[in-house]
Amino acid sequence: MRIHIVTNIDNGKGLERDYRLLSSLLESWGHRVTGVHFQRSEGVGGADLVIFLEVYEPRLAEGAPRRWLIPNAEWWRPEARPALDDFELVLCKTRDALSHFAPLTPRARHLGFFSEDRWDPAVPRARRFLHVPGGSDAKGTDSVLLAWERHRIPYPLTVVSSLGWPLRPRNVELAGRVDERRLRFYQNASRFHLCPSRYEGWGHALHEGLSVGAAVLVPDTEAMSEIDGCALRMPAAPHGAQGLVRTHAVAPEDVRDAVERCMAFTEADLRRIQEAARDAYLTERERCLASLWEVLGERPALRGGSAAGAGGNGASAGGNGASADGSGASPGDAAAGGGAAAGAPGSAAEARATGAAPPRIALVIPCHPATAPLLRRAVLALRAQTAAPSSFEVVVVCDGGDPGGAIRAAAEPGSHPFRVEIVDSPRPRGQFPHCSHARNAGFRAARAPLIWFLDADVLLPPEAVEHALSEHDAALARGVPAVLTPALARVALPPAAWIERSAAWAASGAVEGLAPLLAATPLDGVVPGAHGDRLRPGAPGSEPLCDVREGLPIVWRGLVDALGGFDEWFIGGGAEKGAFVDLLEGARRADLIDMRLLTSVRALRQPQKAATEAFHVHVHRGREERERRAREIGHGARWWRARLAAIRAALSPAVMAAAPDTPAAERLPDCSPGAIEARARLVRGLRAVAAPALRGLYGGVVVVGEAAELLARDVAHVCGLAARVATVAGLAALPANRACGVILSGVLAGATEEERARVLAQARRIVKATGPLLIAEIAGSSAERGAGTAGGDAALVAVEVRVRVERVGV
């Protein structure tokens, strides 16, 4: 869609920031965006949609079929009411603005907005204050400076403003106009942000303060009451009127009192405030994305975010879009994806129709021409697999196409005992390798219901496929679907030396030559997330894995659909694969899947030439973005909670498509809508009892489960706490200071006094340095086990649920 955004695009203030954030977001969704200055003398045409930010010039919208207005209530004149009839939609950034525009036009609706994520964990925090009025004189700066002047406040304050202020109090640094890098430092270094504005149509300084987890101080007015996460609200008195709204002012004495209250906060208080502020910022951003997707009437072409900090893991270009609530694939889409997995090419239904057994697993390998020599070796190594050639297939994806035929020549489709398919994937984002797009194209072209995402530089040992399938079946026999990943090692040779050493084997393609080659090749085990020290050659084996940073995951295609595939914002360098693994780990923490290290298989990375410096810049940005999204998953952001619902709906049919004849089918979790709604009712009932005590904690809890483990974790997540599961035996093995609380789910029920004392002592030891220990014991009546249950927890029914909470001093 061609979109024009009309505003004061270069005023260096809030309007310019609004324009840059919104245009960057829309461009990342695949739209063509043009910024138009509102004082442009001639009209501009050729737009499908014109968005006016605050200002309105009718001549700049001539010929556009759609017109939107995003106004600021404090700058809209009451006499301009007739102009509102020219717009398809009047989108309000705040609920307060909506209350003023709704009586004027039936087209008004709430949009919300977003600010840049300024979080930088590398900057040390200090007990100092920050006030950022920029170029505005309506941010309450006079009250702030008077408070420091009159009351001789001894705490340091930094004021970032391009205006000249006559007062120069002691302990105040008047920074003037600073660049973005310096401003980000000030925002992260200051624990307390003062925002006593007379009115805020949005307030970027305020929301950026929330993004860095600062204690934000705002006036206690109706306009500010809708902003969550603010640490303190200062009394404010009516000051006047502006546009459609009334303004308020904070007295210097109230600023002083708020400063003293801030300095009384303990470190535990500040940690809780930081968590609440970050959560409020992320939640508000997701609400805005959801609203914008809805009014656009389409799903974004790329991810659900932007480089400007507008985002979360959204839709991929392959069609796994975001739901209307801004959270990625919807439950309905996920269910459809799971059903498609069951009937996709390579399914049991197709096998019966054609009389041929489909492959059980597809090896998806993205490749660009520069790595064709390594791809040749990777595909040749698969000829030595001990698994039947009909049990697996290879899908090679040409990243950016294969104009010279180097990739096809390396893969040699048709010359192997297993099926090799070549898929072209045009590169959508410039000259750099785009592995995410290639992987998505590969898994959609595969026939098998299990997908193993490999790289072109990876050599699999002969037993790899056989052991992967065996461990997959063993996990289903235990009733816990498992995503597997092998241990990794790296060839300890320069690229040219490795190519020379393996040239004779690659030329002959002899199966029997692979083992001697690998035995004579020096290895370097230092690979991130490799876990090479856990390799145990021999019979198929695996072990639980909770700290993988990247890997070569083996996933059900229905689950890949529910996760939205690989996020195509990332271009490579490992972050795109790591971001996908982060989604898998989030599903594991929600007890939907297990993640296991394939300890009987060690994949081997072949050496590549170093990437260019320009590529490393993109990789660095990708790693920062991955870290941000991982934090959102850990904090239980809104988009991730909705994504979990999609995974629940898609998981069971996806797993059954991969192993339709397994006798363990009846032991898999019940992911039907009825079962999910029953659990939701239980969580709502438990939250009403447990939330007051749980919300007093910061960070996370350890859930020790006996009967209601998953239910207890649901309650913790709903209350905003990151949860980790441990058994009673595992509780004793945990180091101290790993959690701020412990939920004992059915553990103490029926325990003797001796057992009770032992468990409580172990729990006290874990939280010794973090404050009081919370013991919440969750128990409930359970129905008879039957098909579609996973242990006693999944069989809980809402007939009787008891929660007992006690605080145990340490």
Side-chain angles (χ1 to χ4, degrees):
M1 186 189 302
R2 295 166 299 174
I3 301 175
H4 288 172
I5 299 179
V6 180
T7 190
N8 194 343
I9 61 176
D10 56 2
N11 71 342
K13 300 180 182 179
L15 281 181
E16 181 181 350
R17 183 157 297 199
D18 287 355
Y19 157 67
R20 295 191 182 280
L21 287 168
L22 186 59
S23 62
S24 178
L25 172 65
L26 293 173
E27 286 174 350
S28 75
W29 289 353
H31 300 289
R32 288 180 291 169
V33 181
T34 303
V36 180
H37 198 283
F38 77 105
Q39 292 179 335
R40 182 167 179 166
S41 58
E42 73 278 8
V44 290
D48 302 306
L49 168 66
V50 178
I51 302 175
F52 291 89
L53 289 177
E54 188 180 295
V55 300
Y56 179 43
E57 291 295 337
R59 69 178 185 280
L60 299 179
E62 294 177 357
R66 304 175 70 183
R67 305 181 186 186
W68 293 356
L69 173 67
I70 304 179
N72 280 17
E74 72 271 29
W75 298 110
W76 190 264
R77 302 185 310 275
E79 59 269 21
R81 152 70 188 88
L84 298 176
D85 296 333
D86 294 345
F87 297 101
E88 173 191 347
L89 290 173
V90 177
L91 302 173
C92 301
K93 299 177 185 176
T94 65
R95 297 284 181 188
D96 185 73
L98 179 63
S99 70
H100 294 291
F101 281 96
L104 304 180
T105 173
R107 300 182 180 91
R109 63 174 295 169
H110 180 248
L111 173 69
F113 211 72
F114 55 93
S115 295
E116 186 176 355
D117 190 348
R118 314 287 284 184
W119 173 262
D120 186 352
V123 177
R125 268 62 175 169
R127 287 178 174 260
R128 57 182 301 121
F129 292 81
L130 176 67
H131 175 57
V132 186
S136 173
D137 59 358
K139 303 296 184 180
T141 310
D142 48 356
S143 294
V144 173
L145 294 176
L146 277 172
W148 254 259
E149 176 75 14
R150 289 180 183 175
H151 305 290
R152 300 184 180 278
I153 296 176
Y155 313 119
L157 164 69
T158 299
V159 178
V160 179
S161 175
S162 59
L163 303 180
W165 298 94
L167 283 179
R168 301 274 174 164
R170 189 168 57 91
N171 295 325
V172 175
E173 174 193 3
L174 294 174
R177 185 184 294 273
V178 299
D179 59 27
E180 287 296 309
R181 178 176 170 273
R182 190 65 180 171
L183 178 58
R184 183 186 293 267
F185 172 80
Y186 281 135
Q187 289 172 321
N188 282 273
S190 305
R191 282 279 181 86
F192 311 109
H193 290 205
L194 285 165
C195 302
S197 305
R198 295 173 189 168
Y199 185 84
E200 286 289 2
W202 174 250
H204 286 292
L206 190 161
H207 287 86
E208 288 173 2
L210 295 176
S211 77
V212 301
V216 178
L217 288 67
V218 298
D220 189 10
T221 61
E222 186 174 353
M224 298 293 190
S225 63
E226 65 183 272
I227 303 174
D228 296 329
C230 297
L232 288 178
R233 301 186 185 276
M234 300 173 285
H239 180 268
Q242 182 178 338
L244 302 179
V245 305
R246 293 185 61 83
T247 60
H248 294 76
V250 178
E253 290 71 26
D254 293 320
V255 173
R256 175 203 59 192
D257 294 343
V259 167
E260 294 297 337
R261 290 175 61 189
C262 285
M263 296 307 295
F265 286 145
T266 65
E267 286 301 312
D269 293 332
L270 291 176
R271 288 195 297 269
R272 286 194 292 269
I273 289 170
Q274 177 176 300
E275 182 79 9
R278 280 289 294 172
D279 185 67
Y281 166 79
L282 296 173
T283 301
E284 183 60 35
R285 186 180 60 190
E286 295 305 327
R287 288 172 182 162
C288 175
L289 295 180
S291 299
L292 190 56
W293 289 343
E294 185 177 351
V295 296
L296 280 171
E298 59 184 35
R299 295 178 176 178
L302 294 179
R303 70 189 183 102
S306 74
N313 257 339
S316 67
N320 294 314
S323 66
D325 63 0
S327 54
S330 67
D333 292 339
S347 65
E350 183 188 272
R352 287 191 295 270
T354 62
R360 291 194 59 193
I361 187 170
L363 313 182
V364 174
I365 307 174
C367 182
H368 52 93
T371 56
L374 302 181
L375 173 71
R376 175 173 179 78
R377 288 154 175 77
V379 176
L380 283 175
L382 296 176
R383 302 180 68 167
Q385 290 297 311
T386 57
S390 60
S391 65
F392 66 95
E393 62 177 339
V394 179
V395 179
V396 176
V397 188
C398 304
D399 175 21
D402 187 25
I407 297 177
R408 283 174 170 80
E412 295 183 334
S415 64
H416 304 288
F418 44 83
R419 174 177 176 263
V420 176
E421 181 173 348
I422 307 295
V423 178
D424 284 321
S425 175
R427 188 172 292 165
R429 294 184 62 194
Q431 76 275 24
F432 298 119
H434 199 296
C435 298
S436 294
H437 191 274
R439 288 192 180 96
N440 287 337
F443 96 80
R444 293 187 185 102
R447 299 189 304 160
L450 268 177
I451 309 293
W452 193 343
F453 291 104
L454 298 172
D455 295 329
D457 61 343
V458 171
L459 288 176
L460 289 183
E463 70 280 358
V465 172
E466 179 185 2
H467 285 201
L469 292 175
S470 177
E471 280 304 297
H472 171 265
D473 295 341
L476 291 185
R478 293 190 294 268
V480 181
V483 171
L484 301 170
T485 187
L488 298 175
R490 181 185 289 130
V491 171
L493 292 172
W498 163 249
I499 293 294
E500 181 181 358
R501 176 173 296 198
S502 58
W505 169 75
S508 67
V511 172
E512 58 274 9
L514 177 63
L517 174 67
L518 296 182
T521 299
L523 301 182
D524 177 9
V526 184
V527 179
H531 305 288
D533 56 329
R534 303 185 192 176
L535 177 69
R536 291 187 289 272
S542 65
E543 65 178 37
L545 185 63
C546 62
D547 57 348
V548 63
R549 284 176 284 172
E550 66 172 87
L552 308 172
I554 305 171
V555 197
W556 311 271
R557 60 182 302 139
L559 179 58
V560 180
D561 272 324
L563 289 169
F566 285 80
D567 195 313
E568 296 181 9
W569 182 85
F570 296 99
I571 62 170
E576 85 291 348
K577 191 165 49 180
F580 183 76
V581 171
D582 291 339
L583 298 176
L584 293 172
E585 288 195 329
R588 177 189 59 78
R589 288 193 296 269
D591 289 315
L592 295 178
I593 62 174
D594 192 12
M595 292 193 70
R596 300 184 71 86
L597 181 71
L598 196 57
T599 55
S600 57
V601 172
R602 180 170 61 189
L604 189 64
R605 284 200 180 278
Q606 306 174 73
Q608 295 192 46
K609 293 182 180 179
T612 64
E613 184 62 30
F615 180 65
H616 281 301
V617 172
H618 284 265
V619 170
H620 180 68
R621 293 173 181 170
R623 288 172 180 167
E624 290 182 340
E625 177 68 7
R626 179 203 167 181
E627 292 172 359
R628 183 184 67 79
R629 299 187 192 188
R631 289 194 298 269
E632 293 186 13
I633 294 173
H635 294 160
R638 181 183 176 187
W639 69 265
W640 174 243
R641 293 196 296 268
R643 188 71 59 86
L644 286 177
I647 298 171
R648 290 188 181 99
L651 183 59
S652 185
V655 172
M656 288 302 96
D661 300 324
T662 176
E666 63 179 18
R667 301 176 57 185
L668 294 177
D670 184 359
C671 294
S672 64
I676 295 173
E677 176 56 29
R679 177 173 296 282
R681 287 196 300 269
L682 286 176
V683 170
R684 288 194 292 268
L686 289 170
R687 181 176 56 179
V689 180
L694 287 172
R695 290 193 188 279
L697 297 175
Y698 163 78
V701 295
V702 174
V703 175
V704 185
E706 290 286 334
E709 171 187 319
L710 299 183
L711 190 60
R713 293 193 67 179
D714 282 347
V715 174
H717 285 304
V718 167
C719 294
L721 296 170
R724 175 178 178 176
V725 170
T727 62
V728 175
L731 184 65
L734 287 176
N737 201 22
R738 286 300 299 270
C740 62
V742 176
I743 298 179
L744 299 177
S745 178
V747 173
L748 302 182
T752 65
E753 287 299 323
E754 181 180 352
E755 293 170 338
R756 177 185 176 86
R758 175 174 53 82
V759 172
L760 291 179
Q762 294 169 352
R764 287 191 186 97
R765 176 186 56 78
I766 293 174
V767 298
K768 182 177 181 181
T770 58
L773 167 69
L774 175 72
I775 304 296
E777 186 177 355
I778 299 176
S781 301
S782 59
E784 292 293 330
R785 286 193 188 184
T789 65
D793 180 52
L796 284 173
V797 294
V799 293
E800 182 182 8
V801 176
R802 300 182 304 277
V803 179
R804 181 171 57 81
V805 177
E806 62 176 289
R807 285 189 175 273
V808 181
V810 295

